Amino acid sequence: LREGNKGNGSRPLGPTPSQSRFQVDLVAEGSGRAAADESQKPGGEEAKGRFRVNFPGVGPEGGGVSFQNGGDTVLSEGSLHSGGGGGGGSGGHHHYYYDTHTNTYYLRTFGHNTIDAVPRIDHYRHTAAELGEKLIRPSLAELHDELDKVRSCRCLHSSAQVLRSPDGAQEPFEDGYANGEEGTPPGEADATYAADSKGIVKFGWIKGVLVRCMLNIWGVMLFIRLSWIVGQAGIGLSVLVILMATVVTTITGLSTSAIATNGFVRGGGAYYLISRSLGPEFGGAIGLIFAFANAVAVAMYVVGFSETVVELLQENNALMLDNVNDIRIIGAITVLVLLGISVAGMEWEAKAQIVLLVILLLAIGDFIIGTFIPMDWKKAKGFFGYKAEIFTENFGPDFRDEQTFFTVFAIFFPAATGILAGANISGDLSDPQSAIPKGTLLAILITTLVYIGIAVSVGACVVRDATGNINSTIITELTNCTTAACKLNYDFSSCQKTQCPYGLLHSFQVMSMVSGFAPLISAGIFSATLSSALASLVSAPKIFQALCKDNIYPGLLTFAKGYGKNNEPLRGYILTFLIALGFILIAELNVIAPIISNFFLASYALINFSVFHASLAKSPGWRPAFKYYNMWVSLVGAILCCIVMFVINWWAALLTYVIVLGLYIYVTYKKPDVNWGSSTQALTYLNALQHSVRLAGVEDHVKNFRPQCLVMTGAPNSRPALVHLVHAFTKNVGLMICGHIHMGPRRQAMKELATDLARYQRWLIRNKMKAFYAPVHAEDLRDGGQYLMQAVGLGRMRPNTLVVGFKKDWKQADMRDVETYINLFHDAFDIQYGVVVIRLKEGLDISHLQGQDSKGPRAPLNLADQRLLDASSQFQKKQGKNTIDVWWLFDDGGLTLLIPYLLTTKKKWKDCKIRVFIGGKINRIDHDRRAMATLLSKFRIDFSDIMVLGDINTKPKKENIAAFEEMVEPFRLHEDDKEQDIAEKMKEDEPWRITDNELELYKTKSYRQIRLNELLKEHSSTANVIVMSLPVARKSAVSSALYMAWLEALSKDLPPILLVRGNHQSVLTFYS
């Protein structure tokens, strides 16, 4: 063993024959010698008889799986699947060495003596996975095909283990990847990743989610507005406000946790979660407004910071220009500094967040300590320490200045948002699946407790109105005290008449006043605003980058580029900075704040709805590891979010809905080429399934008859005229299935079936065809047709009409093919199908003209081909004011009349008029016309004219009869000129031949087809399309050649003609 024994001296690694223990040891590179030495010591007895597997890291040569067997190295069957090669970043090949007992029993270790792969995580990775490489399990063909084919495939694998193209990429083989890619050992993938990831910063749940969410939730509200809310709503209702906000955020937190634990989460936060659940339409809409909301939120928080700084400057008479301009100057400088921290990298940003959290916690602690230290000078400002009187008085509401419970709730609610701060940097978390639920829910719990604690504290310590005047103390004891302040010997009754500057309702600086050390509260305000601004400044570019990477809005692709190890979206940072700077310079944030809150709420609503939708769709792929969610609770959460949007600001809510709807419609219209397995797809499937099952229980009724067509198109793009014409009368009315029969070698055909299915279904969708593609493999056309007619469709959605193109080349073709073609009709009639034969004089099949434009300059087409190409697209154009001529000669149940009627209901055909031609007697023409007019009016089918043809049975012209006889001549048997046994033998071998007896017997019918062709040329040569009754040939009585000659004689040299024969069951009714 070349590599395995390196450094082990001359002593082999294998066990002594007496021992039979078995175990697999994974020996890492570099520890080979230690492990070998271990097995030589007496204490290493345990290890001696064991099955050893070596993974020396990077080897110079590629090798298969080698077993040491009695000194010889053998290649096991497992070498195909487990064989070496395929190191990810290292570029070398890895060897698996199996040192084992000479007894072949050990070769049959589970999973190592077979090409079959044992379950491994690496088989389930995406090809673009961040963590290591995707490994390809052996294909079914490798396991299942005949041995000689597998061997040839395996020789290919082992002789060139990994084919590399000049740029180092691995070339895929026909059946998958070169086997070298499969053989990466489980540990290696992670090792490669670890090597690449030096310098990449990934956060745990505390630093990445908990800290971030707490900082983002605790905003300026905590220090500036909470005391005012308690003053207005009272302690009881304030706690209710906080709890109501918490209910919304907690439900959203639970929903976020459910989505985040349903599979691997990449970067992009809320956008990623929503787009992968609900699809690109909702994801694209939310991604854009959520990124924008975060960018504007930066401005909002920075202006909050700047306002506080400007207030401090004003107190110290240190203003630079004036209030507004100072806010702009300080805001611009602040956002520039924050940008610097963000661009410096996530690690710096995380360190800044920790520092800010410490300051924030110190400020909260400072306030709590302050509540226990009442000072006399503070009493005049309304702070008395914890007093039952104050608690009782402040417990109930005292709404002033036109405030109500809902306006107070609207002011508080933005303070509860920010729960997605951790999820927004999902790409920078080491384990988003466990970090997002733990961090988010714990942050909601901690922040809610702190909010409630501070609301109760401030409500129990500070009165609502205070003058701030130290002389407001009461010297003489008053007997009729009603207010708490009065009971505590302070008279603030003057506040009823004039506006007082202090107390819960009047001063926003109550917390500074109460606290032990006021500057710490200012630091807390700075910390709260800057941390929220920083979190938003990081979130916006990350979300925007993820959105741009998915290329939902093609113009924004330039922002998808990342820089450095952490893939930092520098372009996104600059854009966010510019948006934030713009809004800071506007400095009118009272208008913008409600819109931002509504944008955040819209994303919360959609996250909740995602969970409900995914649960409703019952997709097997929806199985979150986080179990504490409920679909109905999530739905309630989504509805609550929508209600709160209106409570906060009705016009901002309407604006948000309009923007989301507009973006949704845009993305739906653009149809980005992405497939994320969203719950929208799952629900579409579930609805289709449920409706199909429900439909299967409904009996057919003539009023609901629809032509459901199985169209023998072959490859749909090779006969576009056939596809477009049938689509014209089935679109939004009935089912259309394009049947494609693959003949030829089975193995080749099976491969083609799978690729064609995806390719041609895509072609149909791209060409806006509401149709399905159904390929099938068969020995010949007839078998394939039978398979399709019997098996295609689902429940009630099964074809009832076979549509075929006319076999134009039948006279030159092998007559056995013609026999097969005609037998298709017989089979269709046997299965109770209607039959439609479509003929264009130029032909239908353009497959020989396809692909010419891709190979250099296009060769000029000959006249016939040019006409064929023009004809193939004629049904895609508007048909103009022309006629559809219906020759309803025989009653087939009404299909001959229904198809032209359906055509006229379509936009391209709506200007066409229907003319009806019927057969009749010369002496009853008026009577027949009136009878038909009555029937058509009862069917409610508009027609422009009815013509009764009394001369159908007239003998055709001599030259046309001669032409017909000349046409059938090559196909006649001429049995009268041959001996009887020779004639019978010939008829048996060539059943399609026309006997003299048959020709004589059906002479009248032959003449009728020729005569009808003369009449068609006379009356309908200018029609857009002719729909005519298809003549029926009796099975085994009319030979294929004669039937084909009838169809040829009837339909030659005419505009597009549909020969239609229903299954003789009514498809029209005049009963309601």
Side-chain angles (χ1 to χ4, degrees):
L1 269 177
R2 296 178 305 275
E3 288 274 316
N5 287 335
K6 219 185 259 181
N8 290 349
S10 57
R11 183 80 175 264
L13 241 84
T16 56
S18 60
Q19 289 158 318
S20 58
R21 288 288 306 276
F22 159 70
Q23 184 177 318
V24 177
D25 286 4
L26 293 180
V27 184
E29 181 187 16
S31 63
R33 176 178 292 185
D37 293 344
E38 184 69 21
S39 69
Q40 291 167 16
K41 293 176 193 165
E45 283 296 305
E46 276 297 295
K48 274 171 95 176
R50 295 177 179 175
F51 186 92
R52 291 182 51 82
V53 183
N54 250 349
F55 297 141
V58 180
E61 331 139 41
V65 174
S66 14
F67 287 77
Q68 184 179 355
N69 191 5
D72 298 323
T73 300
V74 294
L75 205 61
S76 83
E77 197 198 349
S79 59
L80 173 61
H81 127 71
S82 319
S90 57
H93 307 303
H94 301 268
H95 303 265
Y96 284 32
Y97 289 108
Y98 295 77
D99 310 336
T100 185
H101 200 290
T102 46
N103 187 336
T104 53
Y105 167 77
Y106 294 111
L107 291 180
R108 291 197 294 275
T109 309
F110 180 73
H112 292 286
N113 65 332
T114 166
I115 180 178
D116 231 344
V118 289
R120 280 176 59 175
I121 188 170
D122 302 289
H123 292 138
Y124 293 90
R125 293 193 194 285
H126 279 301
T127 36
E130 293 172 9
L131 301 168
E133 274 185 276
K134 175 183 172 65
L135 302 188
I136 311 283
R137 64 178 73 78
S139 70
L140 200 54
E142 286 175 24
L143 295 175
H144 172 251
D145 280 357
E146 297 95 327
L147 208 54
D148 55 338
K149 284 177 185 158
V150 176
R151 281 215 177 108
S152 64
C153 167
R154 283 171 62 184
C155 291
L156 187 64
H157 279 309
S158 50
S159 63
Q161 294 233 335
V162 180
L163 292 182
R164 288 188 180 273
S165 59
D167 62 353
Q170 292 179 357
E171 294 287 345
F173 275 119
E174 186 180 22
D175 279 340
Y177 282 89
N179 202 56
E181 185 171 322
E182 289 178 27
T184 319
E188 184 278 327
D190 302 326
T192 309
Y193 171 67
D196 281 353
S197 65
K198 279 176 188 162
I200 291 182
V201 181
K202 295 282 182 186
F203 303 116
W205 71 275
I206 295 179
K207 212 172 178 184
V209 184
L210 181 69
V211 170
R212 232 164 252 283
C213 287
M214 281 163 59
L215 281 170
N216 228 10
I217 295 169
W218 282 330
V220 194
M221 291 290 175
L222 181 61
F223 299 105
I224 298 181
R225 288 286 186 277
L226 194 57
S227 54
W228 176 85
I229 288 169
V230 174
Q232 290 280 359
I235 296 169
L237 289 184
S238 295
V239 171
L240 185 64
V241 162
I242 294 166
L243 289 176
M244 278 172 63
T246 305
V247 165
V248 176
T249 55
T250 306
I251 293 173
T252 310
L254 293 172
S255 299
T256 307
S257 303
I259 301 177
T261 58
N262 187 50
F264 186 71
V265 180
R266 294 183 191 279
Y271 159 71
Y272 186 88
L273 298 178
I274 293 171
S275 63
R276 297 315 186 265
S277 291
L278 288 177
E281 296 84 6
F282 275 123
I286 279 299
L288 209 56
I289 69 161
F290 198 64
F292 178 73
N294 271 299
V296 179
V298 175
M300 197 164 74
Y301 295 129
V302 168
V303 169
F305 167 77
S306 307
E307 279 178 354
T308 317
V309 175
V310 169
E311 273 177 29
L312 289 174
L313 291 176
Q314 211 169 358
E315 281 175 25
N316 300 314
N317 295 323
L319 280 181
M320 292 175 276
L321 300 167
D322 56 63
N323 271 17
V324 176
N325 284 321
D326 277 16
I327 288 173
R328 287 173 180 160
I329 294 164
I330 293 166
I333 295 166
T334 309
V335 80
L336 199 58
V337 172
L338 292 177
L339 177 71
I341 295 173
S342 305
V343 172
M346 290 297 289
E347 185 60 23
W348 280 98
E349 189 265 348
K351 283 174 183 165
Q353 295 279 27
I354 297 278
V355 172
L356 292 170
L357 181 68
V358 170
I359 297 170
L360 198 59
L361 291 172
L362 286 174
I364 293 169
D366 177 35
F367 166 76
I368 300 294
I369 292 165
T371 59
F372 292 101
I373 320 170
M375 294 181 182
D376 285 345
W377 66 270
K378 289 183 180 176
K379 287 183 179 179
K381 293 184 177 180
F383 169 53
F384 293 93
Y386 291 99
K387 301 287 180 195
E389 297 93 330
I390 300 178
F391 183 85
T392 314
E393 182 179 272
N394 285 347
F395 191 80
D398 180 12
F399 293 114
R400 302 186 198 171
D401 305 323
E402 297 180 359
Q403 298 294 341
T404 63
F405 176 76
F406 287 112
T407 58
V408 170
F409 176 74
I411 288 165
F412 174 77
F413 190 82
T417 58
I419 58 166
L420 294 181
N424 286 341
I425 60 153
S426 51
D428 294 295
L429 301 174
S430 54
D431 181 10
Q433 284 197 317
S434 93
I436 291 173
K438 273 197 290 198
T440 306
L441 294 171
L442 193 57
I444 292 171
L445 178 68
I446 293 170
T447 50
T448 302
L449 291 175
V450 169
Y451 274 136
I452 291 174
I454 290 178
V456 173
S457 295
V458 83
C461 293
V462 185
V463 294
R464 283 189 167 110
D465 303 285
T467 57
N469 187 345
I470 201 76
N471 300 324
S472 296
T473 47
I474 301 168
I475 314 298
T476 57
E477 207 165 293
L478 294 175
T479 50
N480 57 346
C481 273
T482 51
T483 62
C486 173
K487 290 172 188 166
L488 295 166
N489 297 335
Y490 272 80
D491 177 19
F492 296 144
S493 55
S494 60
C495 292
Q496 306 297 329
K497 303 178 190 73
T498 57
Q499 186 83 8
C500 286
Y502 295 100
L504 292 177
L505 283 170
H506 308 295
S507 170
F508 289 148
Q509 305 298 331
V510 165
M511 285 186 73
S512 296
M513 184 260 293
V514 170
S515 67
F517 182 61
L520 250 183
I521 297 292
S522 296
I525 293 171
F526 295 163
S527 165
T529 48
L530 292 179
S531 63
S532 297
L534 198 52
S536 298
L537 185 58
V538 170
S539 297
K542 296 270 181 191
I543 294 163
F544 196 54
Q545 183 184 30
L547 175 70
C548 298
K549 268 185 185 166
D550 289 333
N551 203 15
I552 289 177
Y553 303 104
L556 303 177
L557 198 57
T558 175
F559 290 101
K561 185 170 170 52
Y563 296 85
K565 282 279 188 189
N566 264 23
N567 199 23
E568 293 288 352
L570 293 188
R571 295 173 181 182
Y573 279 129
I574 303 299
L575 183 69
T576 308
F577 166 73
L578 293 173
I579 292 172
L581 194 61
F583 279 103
I584 287 166
L585 296 178
I586 293 169
E588 274 299 316
L589 283 178
N590 289 349
V591 180
I592 289 150
I595 299 176
I596 301 308
S597 295
N598 273 325
F599 279 2
F600 284 136
L601 274 165
S603 46
Y604 292 179
L606 278 179
I607 286 176
N608 285 317
F609 183 69
S610 300
V611 171
F612 169 73
H613 200 268
S615 306
L616 187 69
K618 296 188 180 76
S619 168
W622 172 253
R623 33 179 205 281
F626 182 83
K627 298 294 179 202
Y628 307 102
Y629 72 94
N630 177 284
M631 61 185 284
W632 300 109
V633 171
S634 293
L635 181 63
V636 168
I639 294 166
L640 282 177
C641 288
C642 295
I643 293 169
V644 172
M645 285 170 75
F646 276 100
V647 167
I648 289 178
N649 191 310
W650 66 268
W651 61 262
L654 285 178
L655 183 68
T656 308
Y657 286 142
V658 168
I659 292 171
V660 172
L661 194 65
L663 291 171
Y664 177 88
I665 291 166
Y666 170 80
V667 179
T668 309
Y669 174 73
K670 279 286 181 189
K671 284 198 181 66
D673 188 19
V674 293
N675 182 4
W676 294 323
S678 67
S679 60
T680 314
Q681 291 168 316
L683 196 64
T684 306
Y685 172 85
L686 190 69
N687 287 338
L689 184 66
Q690 287 172 343
H691 285 106
S692 302
V693 171
R694 197 176 307 156
L695 191 64
V698 178
E699 284 299 313
D700 283 334
H701 190 282
V702 61
K703 274 198 298 187
N704 291 331
F705 175 86
R706 296 161 185 273
Q708 312 212 85
C709 298
L710 170 59
V711 194
M712 293 301 199
T713 56
N717 60 358
S718 63
R719 292 178 178 81
L722 186 63
V723 176
H724 282 103
L725 183 55
V726 178
H727 187 249
F729 63 81
T730 57
K731 181 187 175 185
N732 296 335
V733 174
L735 180 70
M736 174 176 168
I737 296 176
C738 298
H740 187 179
I741 299 163
H742 288 259
M743 292 170 282
R746 187 169 181 280
R747 182 178 163 80
Q748 185 58 29
M750 287 303 165
K751 280 190 177 175
E752 285 172 7
L753 286 186
T755 52
D756 282 2
L757 185 59
R759 176 181 161 201
Y760 291 124
Q761 191 63 56
R762 264 203 311 272
W763 183 88
L764 289 168
I765 291 165
R766 206 168 47 243
N767 286 276
K768 297 186 169 59
M769 294 283 159
K770 297 190 175 176
F772 299 95
Y773 170 74
V776 70
H777 173 259
E779 294 302 316
D780 64 21
L781 188 74
R782 184 176 187 184
D783 283 351
Q786 285 181 342
Y787 299 158
L788 285 168
M789 284 188 278
Q790 291 175 65
V792 89
L794 188 70
R796 290 261 168 244
M797 291 190 296
R798 303 179 75 86
N800 51 28
T801 308
L802 176 74
V803 183
V804 291
F806 181 76
K807 192 169 178 63
K808 188 170 177 249
D809 63 346
W810 71 277
K811 285 179 275 191
Q812 294 79 42
D814 183 340
M815 285 309 288
R816 279 174 303 211
D817 292 345
V818 177
E819 177 85 359
T820 306
Y821 175 76
I822 295 300
N823 279 332
L824 264 182
F825 297 12
H826 294 314
D827 293 339
F829 289 136
D830 286 345
I831 306 171
Q832 289 291 298
Y833 269 53
V835 172
V836 179
V837 182
I838 297 179
R839 180 173 190 182
L840 271 61
K841 59 173 175 274
E842 300 85 358
L844 290 164
D845 188 356
I846 63 162
S847 52
H848 61 287
L849 303 177
Q850 284 175 324
Q852 289 196 3
D853 40 80
S854 58
K855 297 169 191 162
R858 196 165 165 178
L861 297 173
N862 62 38
L863 192 59
D865 280 348
Q866 190 56 53
R867 280 185 180 154
L868 172 60
L869 209 55
D870 294 343
S872 72
S873 62
Q874 64 181 323
F875 301 121
Q876 297 170 43
K877 305 184 187 94
K878 196 160 172 59
Q879 296 300 308
K881 293 189 174 180
N882 216 319
T883 62
I884 298 174
D885 287 359
V886 183
W887 291 64
W888 196 18
L889 305 176
F890 305 105
D891 191 347
D892 59 350
L895 189 64
T896 314
L897 194 58
L898 182 62
I899 287 175
Y901 164 72
L902 291 173
L903 276 177
T904 58
T905 62
K906 299 297 183 283
K907 198 159 66 178
K908 286 182 180 130
W909 294 81
K910 72 176 190 321
D911 295 335
C912 292
K913 296 276 184 281
I914 293 179
R915 291 196 303 176
V916 180
F917 294 80
I918 54 170
K921 291 182 182 166
I922 286 185
N923 56 355
R924 298 183 46 171
I925 282 180
D926 275 356
H927 175 271
D928 289 344
R929 185 186 283 122
R930 276 199 302 276
M932 179 52 66
T934 309
L935 181 61
L936 290 177
S937 61
K938 281 198 170 174
F939 283 148
R940 305 169 302 286
I941 288 176
D942 287 335
F943 58 91
S944 65
D945 196 9
I946 293 174
M947 290 190 72
V948 183
L949 304 167
D951 51 354
I952 285 179
N953 291 330
T954 315
K955 197 173 178 186
K957 292 174 186 166
K958 280 201 177 85
E959 62 268 29
N960 291 338
I961 294 174
F964 179 79
E965 284 171 352
E966 189 185 329
M967 178 170 66
V968 297
E969 184 58 40
F971 309 111
R972 289 181 62 179
L973 184 63
H974 289 296
E975 75 268 27
D976 294 350
D977 304 344
K978 296 185 176 68
E979 289 181 24
Q980 191 178 353
D981 53 341
I982 293 173
E984 282 174 4
K985 178 84 172 71
M986 202 169 166
K987 179 70 180 167
E988 199 176 307
D989 293 344
E990 299 177 342
W992 42 265
R993 286 207 177 269
I994 307 167
T995 63
D996 298 343
N997 181 29
E998 179 189 357
L999 201 58
E1000 188 56 42
L1001 189 62
Y1002 290 108
K1003 192 175 184 177
T1004 349
K1005 197 160 185 178
S1006 300
Y1007 283 0
R1008 189 192 301 136
Q1009 313 311 326
I1010 303 166
R1011 176 66 186 146
L1012 282 171
N1013 184 259
E1014 291 173 4
L1015 290 167
L1016 281 162
K1017 283 178 183 163
E1018 184 185 328
H1019 295 289
S1020 295
S1021 57
T1022 59
N1024 265 21
V1025 69
I1026 301 167
V1027 183
M1028 185 172 200
S1029 298
L1030 171 76
V1032 178
R1034 192 174 294 284
K1035 251 193 309 187
S1036 307
V1038 180
S1039 61
S1040 303
L1042 182 60
Y1043 190 30
M1044 210 61 221
W1046 286 351
L1047 299 183
E1048 173 72 40
L1050 175 64
S1051 61
K1052 69 178 181 187
D1053 303 330
L1054 289 169
I1057 181 165
L1058 281 74
L1059 299 171
V1060 179
R1061 178 64 68 150
N1063 64 359
H1064 285 246
Q1065 289 171 358
S1066 295
V1067 302
L1068 295 169
T1069 179
F1070 41 75
Y1071 295 107
S1072 59

